[in-house]
Each structure stands twice: as structure tokens, then as C-alpha cells.
Amino acid sequence: MAEFRKIKTPLYRKTKRQAGLFGIVFQYAIKALPSLRVSAPPQEHTLPVITGPLLEGVKLLQQSADQNNTDAIYLLAQLNFFGNYSHPRNFKTAFDHYYRLASYGNSSAQYMVGLMYATGLGDAVERDQAKALLYHTFAADAGETRSEMIVAARHLSGIGVPKSCETACKYYKRVADKAMVWFRSGPPGGMALSPEAHRLSDDVGGVYGEGASVVSSGINAMKASPNSDAYAAIDDVIEYLDLMSQKGDFKASFNLGRLYYEGQRGLDRNVDLARRYFAAVTTMYWRAKDGRTVDQPKPQLEKYASKAAGYIGRMWLRGEGVRQDFKIARGWFERGIKHGDAQSQWGLGIMNLHGLGLPKNVSKATELFKASADQDFSLSHVALGALHLDQGTPDDLKIANSYFEAAARWANIEAQYYLAEMVHHGVGRDKTCNMAMIYYKNVAERAEPLVSSWTEANHAYEDGEYELAFLDYLMAAEQGYEKAQNNVAFMLDPTQSWLPLPSWLNRHPPRPSLLQNSALALIYWTRSAIQSNIDSLVKMGDYYLSGTGTEIALDKAAQCYTGASEYFQSAQALYNLGWMHENGVGLNQDFHLAKRYYDQALETNEEAYLPVTLSLLTLRVRSAWNTLTRGRVNSIQDEPSPKKDWSLSEWVANFLQDDDLYYDEEYEAFFEADGAIAGSDGEPLGSDLAGLDSVLESLVILGLVAAILILMYYRARRQQAHAQAEQEAAARLPQQGVGHGAAAAQPQVPVPQAPQGQNQNQDDLLPPDFVQWGAAAVGF
């Protein structure tokens, strides 16, 4: 190791700043210029020659390894696998060292052997999932945390082994127990967690690019205006906030303090800078000499100063950037409590609960926790839930469960662990394996510094060491991290662009052989898709459709696209299904179905307007030619409009009802109060005329009904008079035949008279069956 320490390594990391529009244009302009360098043809299969201290160190390690020194064997394996100290990678040699050490029962070596069997890295060994599971099981039973996560993930997804919720839950619980021991070993409040897991493809808008991927299209598209900071890099945000802070903006100072205190990807935690910005806020409200409030503070300064005091007290309580001092922490917490700060209430509650600089006072701590929990502070929810859980009564268990669920909404790792334990043991909740396993998995994956290599992977990728980043992402992917699986597949994907730059523009060096493995890419696209990544599912379809990394399987491609298109989630999948129907590739050739899928793709993502429009244009031409030549393919047809056959009674009932059935939803929405035209008084016109319109419509309907009744009555009278005349004419014929006198032959035509008195029945004026006919007409 003394020889290795002589090797110079960089003391700082290179920072990678996102280039703006002009920077990107300048970069492409530089790449477009012809290069005047003269280089020999690339020579493959030539390993770099190691010299100097590295060579001496390797020789010493080899001598020690020949004497069965396990540490030397492990270091040689690591040098050949990761390429530490610029040592050339040799996966075959690394596997031999790991395999030799694994035979001695070393769990770390067993984990690495299982990893290489699972992935077949560098063609050192043939991929064998059964052997991989065997070695990981040996390592997991020996307490290797990474192998425990791998075995749990394999039983969860059924990778090389039947799915088993119980087995997955058992191994995830082991990791979660270790994660909570590590988390609680930190200062009061637990270890500080800064999530590092992220998808590389999200930096470029998704697997298919900005606007074409599910993560950046449809409902997930960023709708921010060009003037917002949604598209700004973190460096630009920091620079702007720092400028505003120097001008006396206390909100900017407070936000800077929070950013540096919590940290995020691309911004390391810096508690010293955070305390400096928080102090800048508090000194604007409290005098530094006597701690009294300044005269006439700015509006809302009181609120931000109390929050800043809570953060400063938390730093003194936990000893972050300063020596741990409970007395100073208490002073800052009391300042924040005077103005109702939730974090200050939690901090002083922790001190009362555990007796940190104060006598233990559980009732006082509970009171402070409740006041803080009322402001939805997750750490207070956890503290209260733990107190109620210790009581053990059914009512307390219900209260504890509600507190833990409230904290779990903020992804609190301790709350998720408590919920996992309650569900797993059936305490206060139903015992459900699947739910417990999900909670344990979340806890295990949140403890990134303990179980994963996310930080190393991100740093290597930002430094341009893509092979090292790939290896670190691969290790996290085997542990079941969906984002790592997506990263591995994204780095191995050979089809990231269907429009590659010409050779005179593309100055990127060729991809190393380690990153040229389409079959492995398909494996991790599949595992990412199993964990509900829609873009990965579409990528699976692309691989099966084109035969990338596997044989062409059109039926599997159609299944992948269909699954990704459910609920209109992926416009890319819908478009691909339309293309398959249009050309009869893997699906029945059907121009009508193709048009339907193209239309749905445009409905899902409006940015697909150009490709969908061009495809529809060619589709309509092909459909018209198919119709003209009477081809066998189903041509585009007009969608039938739904029509309902109403009976006469329904027509009359609709006449007598309101006219809501005659207006569709869009027509009704047009006349809503929000969209109504306002008059000179500012009130919508429809609100004053609505009553008048209904009265006029009612009068018109009543007039039509009255006219119909009058016509029916007139027709009935005509029919009655005609029938009576025929009866009288028939009665005169027999009288004339028997020879009566002329006087007897004169008909006695009755003269209609107005009804007199109350005994005259008005129904006698109508035909006998008129009443029954009218009743049937109105539906009775």
C-alpha cells in the first residue's frame, strides 16, 4: 500500500456545468471543424503497460497472494475489476482472484462472483443466473448486505427463481434492520440522507428525448414559462440567490441555507455555508448584542427568522459544523418557539424526551411534539407515533399508525420502517406480506450510503469515467434499484438516436467494448419495465421489433407496445402500434385501426403533431388506393355517430321536460356562468334572461299542444258528421221501397244545439274511441 500512496491522484473533482444554448452551438461548431491530427489506426487487444509505483505495488501484492494472503488476493481482484490507480481492467483475472477467495468463504468475494455470473461482464464467464443466485445466497447467509438485497430483489421479480413474497420480505427485512441501526447511530434525529439515485435519461428528457418520452410528455410535460427557473441549472439558481442575498433579500438567504443544509444531486451538503446564510437572516430580526428584536422589521421577516433559528438550533443539537452544545441549541429553539416554528418545537421536544441538557420530561416533550405535528412536521409525527406505539393499547396503536402514515407521506425512512414492522407482525394492522415487503424495500433502498454505490457512480459519470460509472450502476441495478437498471440499459443502448450525425461531425471516440452489449441492455430494460417504467417497456418492444440483442419477436413487440399504451400513457407506443397495423408487421394490416392509434398518439402527446400528420397523410393515400382497387385491407371508415330511437311517448316526454337533453356537454359548457358574456353592469347576461327564455319556451310548447288538440277535435267532428250522414242515407232506402209517402221519405236532419244545463255530457261531442286514442298518444 505504501507504493500505491506514491501514485498521484486528483484531490478535487471536476465540476460539470450545463452549457447554455450558445455553448452547445459553439461545441458543435468546434466539432464540425476538420481535425489536423494525424493518428495511427487504433490498435485493439493491447493492454497498457504499468510502470513505476503501480508495478511495484502489484508485484508485492502478487507475492503476498501466492502465500494465500486473503487481503492481497482481494486487492488484486479489485484492481483488475475497477481499474483502481489506473490499473488496466482485466475481468478474467479479476474473476479468478474472486473465485479463489470465494472458495475460502469470503462473503465479499462470493458477492462479486455472483455479480459476474449474473451479468457475464467482459465475457469472463458465461452468464448463469442459477450460479449467480447460489453465490449470492451464500454471501447473504454470511451477512453480506448487498447480496441480501440481490436475493430479495430476485425473489420479488422472479429472476432465476420463482416469485416468493415471503422470501423477499425476509431478506429485505434484514437489510432494513441494518439500515435503521445505521440511521439511529447518528446524532439526534438520525443520519442525514441526501438521495443520490436518479435516472441519467431524465437529464435529456427521457429515453426518447425531450417531448417524446413518457417522463417529459403528456401530463408529465413541464408547462413552466420560459422566464421561470424550472429549466435552470442548480449553479445558476445558486448564483442568482446569492446575488439577491447580498442585496438584503432574507428569503433568498433562507433558501440558500436550506439548499446547502439538505444538499441534493449536483450540490454537496455544506453545513458551514448553510449556518452562515441562516445567521444572516436571524441577525436581520434579532440584534447580535442583546438578542432583542429590531425596530420595525420587514414584513414576513419574523416567520423566516424563526425558521432559520430552528435550523441553527438543530445544527448545535446534532453537532453539524460546530461542536455539539445543548445549551446553545436550547436558546435557538426557544427563539423559534416564540414564533411558532415547528422544527424548534421538535428540537426542544427531543431534548426533553431524551434528557439532552435538560431533565427528562415526557409530558412536556409530548406537548411540543403535538404542537409541531399540527403543522405537519414529519419528525414530530414519528416521535408521537413511537410514544403511542410504546403504550400498546388498541387505541394507541391506531393513533400511532395514523402518525406514521402522515410522516410516510414525506418519505420519512423511520416512519416507513415502523409501518413495515407493524404490518409484518400484525400489530395494529392486518398482516400483509406484500405491503410489509414494499415498506422494507423502501427503507433498504433509502439507506444509499450503507448498501449501494450511487455516490461513486454519479461522480464517475460526471467526471467522464463512463466504464467505472457503468460498473457502479450495474452493482446497484442488481440490488433492485429501478433507476440503476434504467441507467445501465441507457448506457448500453445502441439505438439512442435514429438520426446519427455524419462522420465528419461526430468526433466522439468509439464506445468501449464494455458498453457494447445489447443483450445485457435488453435484460435491464426488462427489469426496469417490471418495476413500472413505461419508457423501458417501449424500449423492450423496439428491441424485439428490430432484433436488437435478441431474435426478432413481433408478437412480443406488439405485447410490449400494447402494455405501454394502456390508459394512453405512451404516445410512442401508440404510434408504433399504428405503424404495425398500417404495414401489417406483427399485427393484422388494418388502415382503420392504424388511423385510430395515430389519433390516440396525438391526443396523448400534442408534440407528436408532425409525425402523426405525415403518417396520416400517407395512410389516407394508401387507404384510398386500397378502396379504389378493392383491396383486402380494411380501409379508413367514418366513425358511426351514436343515435337513439325514441318512442312517441319519449318524444312527448322530452318535449315537456327541460331542453337539457338537446345540448351536449360542450354546448352546456359554453353557457356556463364563467364563460358567459357580461353586460354593461358586469353581470353575465344569461343569469337575467334565463327565466324569460324558459317562459317563452313553455308558451310555445303549450301553443303547439293546443293547436294539435284543436286539429284533432276538428277532424273528429268531420268524421262524426260524415258517419251520421251515411247512416241516415241508409235508413231512407227501405222506407222508399215499401211505398210510403213523400213526406215520410224526407229526412229529419238534426240541427246541432248548444248544450243546456248541467246534464249535457261534453264527451258526447267526441268520437267514441277518441279518449282511448289520445291516452295512448301521450303514453298512458
Side-chain angles (χ1 to χ4, degrees):
M1 295 304 297
E3 295 294 333
F4 291 150
R5 294 190 184 97
K6 298 177 182 179
I7 302 175
K8 296 181 179 180
T9 56
L11 300 178
Y12 61 91
R13 292 184 52 251
K14 295 177 290 185
T15 58
K16 186 176 180 181
R17 180 184 177 90
Q18 295 182 355
L21 176 61
F22 294 103
I24 295 175
V25 173
F26 180 75
Q27 291 175 9
Y28 277 102
I30 292 297
K31 292 178 181 179
L33 295 177
S35 176
L36 299 178
R37 295 178 299 175
V38 178
S39 59
Q43 298 180 358
E44 297 184 358
H45 309 291
T46 58
L47 295 177
V49 178
I50 58 176
T51 58
L54 178 59
L55 178 60
E56 296 298 327
V58 170
K59 288 181 179 180
L60 293 174
L61 284 177
Q62 187 62 52
Q63 293 174 4
S64 182
D66 293 339
Q67 300 176 10
N68 293 330
N69 186 303
T70 57
D71 292 336
I73 298 174
Y74 186 76
L75 287 174
L76 283 173
Q78 293 288 89
L79 285 173
N80 284 275
F81 186 87
F82 290 102
N84 298 334
Y85 299 102
S86 301
H87 190 282
R89 291 188 180 89
N90 190 326
F91 293 106
K92 178 62 178 173
T93 304
F95 177 80
D96 293 338
H97 289 303
Y98 285 133
Y99 188 82
R100 176 186 174 186
L101 192 58
S103 63
Y104 298 157
N106 186 290
S107 60
S108 298
Q110 291 171 344
Y111 159 74
M112 294 301 299
V113 171
L115 177 69
M116 298 189 74
Y117 270 123
T119 58
L121 276 173
D123 297 327
V125 291
E126 186 178 355
R127 194 180 304 116
D128 191 326
Q129 301 300 336
K131 290 184 178 179
L133 180 63
L134 177 64
Y135 277 97
H136 282 308
T137 303
F138 285 152
D141 291 341
E144 173 62 40
T145 306
R146 295 170 295 178
S147 289
E148 288 175 337
M149 285 196 69
I150 291 175
V151 174
R154 285 176 172 262
H155 282 88
L156 170 63
S157 302
I159 302 173
V161 68
K163 288 185 178 181
S164 175
C165 178
E166 290 76 12
T167 305
C169 186
K170 180 183 74 171
Y171 282 102
Y172 273 131
K173 174 175 169 52
R174 289 185 185 180
V175 182
D177 291 341
K178 294 179 182 178
M180 289 312 301
V181 171
W182 168 79
F183 177 78
R184 291 169 176 170
S185 65
M191 287 285 188
L193 298 176
S194 296
E196 290 285 343
H198 81 290
R199 299 184 187 90
L200 298 175
S201 57
D202 289 350
D203 294 338
V204 293
V207 172
Y208 291 97
E210 187 74 34
S213 308
V214 173
V215 297
S216 61
S217 63
I219 59 176
N220 298 321
M222 300 178 68
K223 301 298 183 181
S225 64
N227 296 326
S228 69
D229 59 352
Y231 302 96
I234 185 63
D235 294 337
D236 297 331
V237 174
I238 293 295
E239 183 178 355
Y240 172 75
L241 291 176
D242 184 66
L243 177 62
M244 298 303 296
S245 174
Q246 293 177 10
K247 294 182 178 180
D249 189 338
F250 58 86
K251 294 181 181 179
S253 300
F254 177 78
N255 290 329
L256 275 172
R258 285 191 58 183
L259 285 174
Y260 279 114
Y261 181 78
E262 297 173 358
Q264 62 180 34
R265 189 177 65 87
L267 182 67
D268 297 332
R269 290 188 79 223
N270 191 329
V271 292
D272 292 329
L273 274 177
R275 189 178 70 257
R276 187 182 307 172
Y277 282 113
F278 287 138
V281 179
T282 57
T283 54
M284 294 182 186
Y285 187 74
W286 290 290
R287 293 190 180 95
K289 295 181 179 180
D290 52 7
R292 300 178 61 181
T293 306
V294 300
D295 299 332
Q296 297 180 351
K298 296 180 181 179
Q300 296 186 344
L301 177 58
E302 172 186 347
K303 172 184 175 182
Y304 284 90
S306 63
K307 291 181 177 295
Y311 275 104
I312 295 176
R314 184 173 180 176
M315 292 180 185
W316 284 101
L317 174 66
R318 295 167 54 86
E320 294 176 320
V322 294
R323 59 178 178 81
Q324 194 175 36
D325 193 318
F326 298 137
K327 183 178 180 180
I328 299 178
R330 177 184 178 183
W332 283 107
F333 285 146
E334 290 177 348
R335 284 189 180 185
I337 289 175
K338 290 181 180 179
H339 303 286
D341 176 56
Q343 184 167 217
S344 299
Q345 293 167 342
W346 166 82
L348 194 57
I350 288 292
M351 296 180 69
N352 280 275
L353 180 64
H354 299 290
L356 304 177
L358 294 172
K360 284 189 177 181
N361 191 335
V362 179
S363 60
K364 179 64 175 179
T366 303
E367 180 183 349
L368 290 169
F369 288 148
K370 287 183 178 179
S372 178
D374 291 340
Q375 303 182 53
D376 203 15
F377 193 70
S378 62
L379 295 178
S380 294
H381 285 144
V382 174
L384 283 173
L387 290 173
H388 284 282
L389 184 63
D390 290 340
Q391 301 301 316
T393 64
D395 292 338
D396 284 311
L397 292 178
K398 292 180 180 179
I399 297 174
N401 180 72
S402 62
Y403 278 125
F404 291 143
E405 288 183 343
R409 291 185 294 107
W410 301 100
N412 185 283
I413 183 175
E414 198 169 7
Q416 292 176 340
Y417 180 75
Y418 276 121
L419 288 172
E421 290 285 272
M422 294 178 70
V423 175
H424 179 69
H425 297 287
V427 177
R429 298 187 57 159
D430 295 334
K431 190 174 182 179
T432 308
C433 175
N434 187 58
M435 183 63 67
M437 185 266 300
I438 292 175
Y439 279 126
Y440 282 135
K441 182 176 186 291
N442 291 337
V443 173
E445 292 185 349
R446 286 290 307 281
E448 294 174 1
L450 176 67
V451 301
S452 70
S453 55
W454 273 105
T455 302
E456 295 83 356
N458 291 339
H459 289 172
Y461 189 84
E462 292 172 1
D463 293 342
E465 299 178 5
Y466 298 119
E467 293 183 72
L468 179 59
F470 169 76
L471 294 175
D472 288 326
Y473 285 135
L474 186 66
M475 297 169 70
E478 281 293 307
Q479 292 174 280
Y481 284 93
E482 185 277 324
K483 294 179 179 179
Q485 294 167 352
N486 189 274
N487 290 349
V488 170
F490 182 72
M491 295 184 71
L492 295 174
D493 185 23
T495 58
Q496 293 185 7
S497 176
W498 290 99
L499 295 174
L501 294 174
S503 58
W504 57 274
L505 266 181
N506 191 359
R507 299 294 180 181
H508 291 288
R511 301 178 67 180
S513 59
L514 183 61
L515 301 182
Q516 298 179 16
N517 194 335
S518 301
L520 191 61
L522 177 58
I523 291 175
Y524 286 103
W525 285 131
T526 304
R527 295 182 184 179
S528 176
I530 292 175
Q531 300 196 59
S532 303
N533 189 303
I534 304 301
D535 284 331
S536 297
L537 186 58
V538 180
K539 268 293 183 181
M540 286 178 58
D542 294 345
Y543 277 46
Y544 286 123
L545 182 63
S546 61
T548 303
T550 183
E551 297 179 355
I552 295 178
L554 301 179
D555 55 340
K556 292 183 179 180
Q559 292 175 2
C560 293
Y561 293 144
T562 303
S565 64
E566 289 182 354
Y567 307 107
F568 304 150
Q569 292 181 340
S570 174
Q572 184 72 38
L574 290 166
Y575 181 87
N576 292 349
L577 285 173
W579 181 88
M580 295 178 74
H581 274 296
E582 178 183 358
N583 297 281
V585 178
L587 296 172
N588 295 330
Q589 193 171 15
D590 191 321
F591 293 151
H592 184 71
L593 281 179
K595 179 183 179 299
R596 181 174 297 177
Y597 279 116
Y598 285 145
D599 291 339
Q600 290 178 353
L602 185 58
E603 292 177 4
T604 304
N605 184 8
E606 57 186 15
E607 294 189 21
Y609 174 79
L610 180 59
V612 169
T613 302
L614 295 176
S615 299
L616 286 176
L617 179 61
T618 57
L619 179 64
R620 288 189 179 278
V621 173
R622 296 181 65 180
S623 177
W625 177 255
N626 177 73
T627 303
L628 182 63
T629 58
R630 297 183 179 180
R632 299 180 180 180
V633 183
N634 184 25
S635 299
I636 299 176
Q637 303 172 5
D638 294 333
E639 297 288 347
S641 58
K643 295 182 179 180
K644 182 181 179 182
D645 296 332
W646 286 347
S647 63
L648 181 60
S649 61
E650 290 177 333
W651 277 104
V652 175
N654 289 329
F655 252 106
L656 299 178
Q657 291 176 356
D658 294 335
D659 57 345
D660 292 342
L661 296 178
Y662 292 92
Y663 299 104
D664 55 11
E665 295 180 358
E666 296 181 358
Y667 195 69
E668 290 179 354
F670 179 78
F671 283 98
E672 289 181 354
D674 294 339
I677 301 176
S680 59
D681 56 351
E683 296 294 331
L685 296 177
S687 59
D688 294 335
L689 300 179
L692 180 60
D693 290 342
S694 60
V695 172
L696 291 177
E697 291 172 359
S698 300
L699 292 177
V700 171
I701 293 174
L702 291 176
L704 291 174
V705 173
I708 293 173
L709 292 177
I710 292 173
L711 291 175
M712 292 171 59
Y713 172 74
Y714 177 73
R715 180 182 178 184
R717 292 290 297 171
R718 289 287 302 273
Q719 291 177 351
Q720 182 182 14
H722 182 69
Q724 187 175 1
E726 290 180 350
Q727 292 176 0
E728 292 177 354
R732 287 198 299 268
L733 293 177
Q735 294 178 2
Q736 293 176 358
V738 297
H740 288 285
Q746 296 295 329
Q748 300 295 326
V749 180
V751 179
Q753 297 180 0
Q756 298 179 1
Q758 300 297 327
N759 296 327
Q760 183 70 23
N761 190 358
Q762 294 182 1
D763 292 340
D764 294 338
L765 301 178
L766 302 176
D769 56 348
F770 173 74
V771 177
Q772 292 81 357
W773 181 88
V778 297
F780 294 100

